[in-house]
Every structure is written in structure tokens, then in C-alpha cells.
Amino acid sequence: MSRGAGSSSGAALAVGAALSLGAAAAAALAVALLSGQKSSKAPPLTKEAWKEACDEGGKLVDFAAILEQIRMGGCDPGVREEVWPYLLRLVSPSSTAEQRSSLKAELARRYSDLLQRCQDLETSLDSAVVRTGSSVAVAENTGVVRSVPAHLAQFAEAQRIIVLDAIRTDLLQPDASPESSGSMHGAMNGLAPSAERRGGGPWLGRVAEETLANATHLSLASRKAAARLIQLLSAYAVHDPETGYCQGMSDLAAPFLTIFEDDAMAFWCFERLLQRTSKNFRHDEVGMREQLRALARILEQADPVVFHHLRQIGAGECFFAYRMVIVQLRRELPLAQAVNLWEILWADDYWQRLGSWAPPSMSRPSSGLFGSYDKNLSALGGREEHFAGSAPDLLLFFIAAVALRLRRRLIDECRDQDDTLRLFNSVRVDLWGSLRSARGLQRSLAAHYQPNSSVY
Amino acid sequence: MARNKQQTGISKESVKIVLLGEGRVGKTSLLARFIHNNFKEDQQATIQAAFMSRQLQIDSQQVEVALWDTAGQERFHSLAPLYYRDADAALLVYDISDRDTLERVRHWVKELRTMVGDDIVLTIVGNKSDLERERAVSQEEAAAFAQSIGAQHVSASAKTGQGIEAAVSGTAQMVLASRKRLGGSARPPGSTGRRPGSIVIADGPGTRTQGSSCC
């Protein structure tokens, strides 16, 4: 292993921290050392391996082994469409092929119900606008139509932002690496042409129709992709009105549409992801503050020297990591790598929980396809349990690793919070190298993790 | 952050300007036009913030203008004070085809006056002037509003490039003028905030004062 002078002194600093501050420093040292290593990646889960993992009935034989492989190496692009519903706990590993196909039909029905609700809301909005004497054009221009019922005004407002965001979301990343292009093309070929939609296809709002018709700067394929994204996000806003739509969701949703040909599966997988992360989108921002505080605690425990510096310059609240947390590195990594990271994070979370306790589907294989699934679909707010005091997600360790790999620059170049924001805006993230560091941190700190340390 | 950098004895002015306004009004596009002279129809939504800077020549003086582009949607609100608390000026951007966005500007004015005070220079920018056909806010109304709060009003289009140079350099000029009035650079080099302790950010159960360097 060869390291430059920079990382040697980084290691020396970490050793200094180790001597003075004891337990925490092993992690800092690990990061300093690992960041000098050439990053290597474990092999991804292949289509062949996935096929072999199922018995004749389509049940998974050794799910833990599958998870183990994904959490180390991710998935081949071709296998994601099948594997993601498991990783996101939409589908139980103990389900049979037959059960899955009936689940799929049920999910499609429920998705189309949500789009129907969008249609109904739009119809109600139109008639409310007519009743109150304002023209539709005025309603669109002023967005929040104050004289119509709140839920309709909310719908109109969400529609407008969703449409504007969807057409400027990174839909078909041209720089997607060759390894992922297969599934991209697959998804694009599966799009329903808009003519078919008009002939009784699923709802797409009037604002969207008009905006897409005028979006001549977009290719036909991009417009189709944008239409699917608008449907998905509108359906989500209706499904979870408390969260509604927030910028950043389009970044999280778009990859699902490139991976799944089936819009309903894309929606319900996205919905599962949002069950874990919708707190990040809350109006009161409590979720984000919680996450950034957890990140601060990791940094404090992993590398007291860097953290002390951050506090000194007024950046101890880790706002520089806001975007990384809320859109889960989607903006910092190319699409192919971002989805790689996500599946690794999901598999890691699942795998960690397998170790300590059995998830509902494991303990109650006969109670539906996945224990909490029906409950979550039928009862809004039936969020995944949050385990207070449990160790943070690998995502936060990953972000901490990204930060600690920049420790020299943080210490040498950052004199105030602006500098940290600037540094993180332009950061280039090494996916596999940072993952190695993140795992090092997770191992060193998880055992000693103190959720209530003295950071704030 | 605006501060005077001593370089071989010659002080170089720098001005920090923050862009605020509802999501989708075109803040990032205005910046892209100002810095790179380009325009993308499908500019992605800003999630956190972006930073860009450019040298301007103002009254035969080199001025570094540091521009902070922020996330517009209200749900990212807690981030905004990070950017405006030590800014010299704010460009408050609305979309001339979208009346609500001017309402949002009114909110920003109130917040800035409360949180930062009167010496932050404000410029109201009506973006998308190329969409004259869809105009929903009249030039007169916006200009009158700007005047009522002691701000200038500029009509601009990130698409065509109209008005942006004027908005930024005009704003920088006003910052420099007000610095002169106050007797040189009011801010010592390396200071971290306009008025340490003046910005309060809600943080968990209580509130906490921002600005001091160590907690």
C-alpha cells in the first residue's frame, strides 16, 4: 500500500487523536488508512446466481446469502427489477411465484386507484374553480386557489411543482455506464405511447399534458419518462398527503422508473423507500435535523479532531451533508453508482436486522406476503418502525466516510461554514472506496454507538 | 463570505450575494447565465445550494462577487439562514408569469428585515421576461413594491440574458456604496457573521443562537 505525504499526515493526526481520545480513534485511523488504499469492489449478484437461489416454486432458498452478496457488491442491472422488491420488503423472501403474481396484480390495481383519485381531484378542482367564478387559467396562474377547499388547492399546488420538477429531473442519464444501459433501454421500450394513454389509459393531469406538449426541448423518450414520473409523484402525493410532494423526491423516484418497466411496481417500491425516508421531507424538518445530528455524532466519535474543527468554524451541525442525506447521494454519484449504493444500503439494513431479530415475514410466513405490507397499504401512517437508540443506517456512515476522506481539506481549507458547503457541493465521491471506509466506521462505532452523546 | 483580502497591500473588495425565491422561478438559471453565459431548459431543482463567483469591474475596481444559489421550496427553509445571515445583498427572484412567486418575495423581505436588519441590500428580480405573453405580475406593481421597501427592481430573463448583468452589478455597486458610507469595510477579515448572535435557528426543543464559533 502506498500513500502520499498528505494521507500519512492524516494518519498521524488520527493517531494523535487515538492517543488523546482513546476509543473513538480506531475508526478515524481506519478511515485514514483505508482512504489511501486502492478501492476494490466485490462481485455483484448476477442473474444466474439469482435464478439458482430460487426453488421450483419460486421461493428463495437462502435469502441471507443473497443479502450478504448484495450488501457487498450490489446487483447486476438486469436483476434489479426482480430483486429490489425483496430488498425494499415489498415482497417476502418466503413468497412463491404464484403469490407474487397475485401481489403484482393487486399492486397494479391499487396504483391505478391512486391515479383515479388524482383524476377525481382534478375534476373537483375544475368544478370548484368554476363555482367560485375564477377561470381555470387564473387557477393555474395563482397556484393556490384560496377560495377552493384546502385539499384541492394543495393538489393544484403539488401538481404544478411536480410537473415543473419532473421535466427537469435527470431522467435518462446519458453518462450511465455500459453496465446499466441494458435496463435503461428495457424500461424505455416498455413505455406506453401517449396515444394509448389518451384512449382510456391512466390519468395524466392537464397541467402535465400541456407542459409536456410544449416541452419541445425534450426528446420524445424524455417526455414519456417525465409523464411516468409525474404520474408516480402525483400518486404518491395523494397516497401520503401529509408528506405530499417535496423537491428531491423526483431524484429519488426517477431511478425506479428506469429500472422497472411496470409503473405500479416502480411506485410501490418507491413508496417503500419513502416509508423509511419520508421523515426527511417533513415540513418541520425534524427528520433532517435528526439525521444531521446522528451524522454529527458519528463524526464526533470517529474523528474528534475533525469534528472539533467543524464546531470551531460553525459547521458542527453538518448542514454541508444536507443534500447527500435527503437525496441519498443521487446528485453526487452518476445514476448507475447511485442505484448501486442504494441497493447496498437496503441490503445492509435488511441483513443487519436479520442478525438481531427476524423481520415480520420471517416469523409469520403465512400472514400475507410480507407481514406489515397490507397494514401499510391500508392504513396511512403505518410507517416502518423506527428503532430508537439503534445504530444509524449505513448511509450516514457512508456520508461520514466521505467527509473523513476529506479531513485534510476540511482542516486546511475550511475556515467557515460556507467553505464546507462549497467543498461538499463539488465533492467527487468514490463509491467503493467510501463504502470500505463506511464499513470500517460502522464496525468500529456500532458497538460503542452512543445515541445521546454530548454533541448538542 | 465577503471580506477584504489583503493581497500585496492592495485590498480587493468582495461581495456576497444570496439568491432567494420560490422553487422553479429560475434562480439557478440566472446564475448559470451570469457565470457561464448559458441556459438549460431543464436545469435541475437545487436541493442544497450552489456557489459561484465572478470578478466584476466596478468603478475601475476589481470586485469578486460570490453568489449563493439556494433551494427554493419552502420545505428547505431552515437552510436559508445559513446563506443569508452574512450576505451583503439578496436577489429576491420571482417569475413574472406566476403571481404566487411574488408573494413569496414579500415573505422573504419580511424575514430578511427581521433576521438581518436594514443594511442588507435588496434587489427584486422579475425573471422570465421572455414570457411576456404569460405575464401575471405587472411591471408597475413589482416596481412599486420594490420602491416601497427601498429595493431596486430589475426585469430579467435567464433565457435571453436580459437584465442579469445589470441586476448583479447594480447590486454589488450598492453594496460598495453603502460600505463607503459606513466608512470602509464594516467587516473585519475572518469574521463569521454579519452580527454574531442575531440569527436564531430553531434547533430541536429550544432555540439556539447561531454565529458564535463554538458551542
Side-chain angles (χ1 to χ4, degrees), chain A residues 233-366:
Chain A
L233 294 169
S234 304
Y236 186 80
V238 166
H239 171 69
D240 177 5
E242 198 189 320
T243 309
Y245 174 73
C246 177
Q247 289 189 330
M249 283 187 190
S250 63
D251 288 86
L252 291 180
F256 287 89
L257 290 169
T258 62
I259 282 160
F260 290 91
E261 282 189 34
D262 182 335
D263 288 6
M265 285 306 278
F267 175 83
W268 290 111
C269 283
F270 171 72
E271 195 267 352
R272 297 298 300 190
L273 173 65
L274 265 279
Q275 284 201 22
R276 298 169 193 204
T277 58
S278 68
K279 65 178 190 297
N280 295 348
F281 293 104
R282 279 174 54 152
H283 287 270
D284 59 11
E285 297 176 85
V286 165
M288 281 305 297
R289 287 173 191 283
E290 198 179 282
Q291 299 262 56
L292 294 177
R293 268 198 292 272
L295 175 63
R297 282 193 292 271
I298 294 173
L299 289 174
E300 182 195 31
Q301 289 171 36
D303 195 332
V305 176
V306 163
F307 189 71
H308 178 72
H309 176 71
L310 289 175
R311 274 173 90 160
Q312 285 273 313
I313 62 172
E317 282 146 305
C318 297
F319 276 111
F320 52 80
Y322 195 99
R323 187 176 70 189
M324 287 189 186
V325 172
I326 201 162
V327 293
Q328 311 204 6
L329 280 295
R330 175 62 196 90
R331 292 285 177 97
E332 287 77 16
L333 291 167
L335 179 61
Q337 291 203 346
V339 296
N340 237 192
L341 173 65
W342 293 359
E343 63 204 6
I344 287 169
L345 297 176
W346 302 332
D348 186 77
D349 178 65
Y350 211 143
W351 187 85
Q352 302 276 356
R353 292 183 189 204
L354 280 186
S356 51
W357 53 271
S361 69
M362 296 286 181
S363 53
R364 290 184 288 134
S366 56

Side-chain angles (χ1 to χ4, degrees), chain A residues 142 243 247 285 311 331 425, chain B residues 45 49 73 75 78 100 213:
Chain A
T142 58
T243 309
Q247 289 189 330
E285 297 176 85
R311 274 173 90 160
R331 292 285 177 97
N425 266 340
Chain B
Q73 202 181 354
R75 239 172 286 188
S78 74
D100 271 359
S213 59

Side-chain angles (χ1 to χ4, degrees), chain B residues 57-128:
Chain B
Q57 177 107 3
I58 296 176
D59 303 334
S60 73
Q61 193 178 12
Q62 284 292 316
V63 178
E64 165 148 335
V65 181
L67 291 139
W68 283 91
D69 176 24
T70 62
Q73 202 181 354
E74 209 167 347
R75 239 172 286 188
F76 300 122
H77 196 100
S78 74
L79 288 172
L82 302 184
Y83 304 105
Y84 70 56
R85 65 183 171 191
D86 58 356
D88 298 298
L91 296 185
L92 302 173
V93 187
Y94 70 95
D95 169 355
I96 65 154
S97 70
D98 184 344
R99 174 155 275 284
D100 271 359
T101 62
L102 182 65
E103 290 307 312
R104 192 74 201 285
V105 164
R106 292 181 202 271
H107 286 298
W108 279 120
V109 171
K110 270 187 214 145
E111 174 162 344
L112 291 173
R113 289 296 183 227
T114 313
M115 307 299 281
V116 190
D118 286 334
D119 34 322
I120 183 165
V121 170
L122 302 182
T123 299
I124 313 276
V125 181
N127 190 31
K128 310 196 188 175

